Amino acid sequence: LKFSFFDPTNLEVFLKVIDGCSYNGHYWVFVSGLTNAGVALQLTDKVTNAVYSYNNPAGQAFAPSLDIEAFACN
């Protein structure tokens, strides 16, 4: 998924969820961005209600997150 905040043609944040269940028993969440805007991202597993959160403070370069244990597989 890709997100824009101020202008639809200016992409700011990118999100990818990968099924890594056969590899390590988890879904993987990769988040990256091309912004220094404040970002609060929250993903909820609709089966288990587990929550994955990512925050990037305003004024700081977006630091990528590559979480290969974000959600356990059922």
Side-chain angles (χ1 to χ4, degrees):
L1 298 172
K2 51 194 173 192
F3 301 91
S4 60
F5 304 134
F6 310 107
D7 178 341
T9 64
N10 185 23
L11 299 178
E12 302 276 356
V13 174
F14 303 86
L15 168 71
K16 178 166 56 171
V17 179
I18 298 172
D19 182 346
C21 294
S22 64
Y23 180 76
N24 71 341
H26 289 82
Y27 289 95
W28 306 353
V29 175
F30 295 171
V31 183
S32 65
L34 301 170
T35 187
N36 67 347
V39 175
L41 176 69
Q42 186 174 27
L43 304 175
T44 303
D45 181 328
K46 294 297 185 178
V47 174
T48 66
N49 289 321
V51 176
Y52 173 86
S53 296
Y54 176 86
N55 292 297
N56 188 76
Q60 292 187 14
F62 194 110
S65 175
L66 310 171
D67 188 346
I68 64 167
E69 295 184 346
F71 294 108
C73 299
N74 299 352

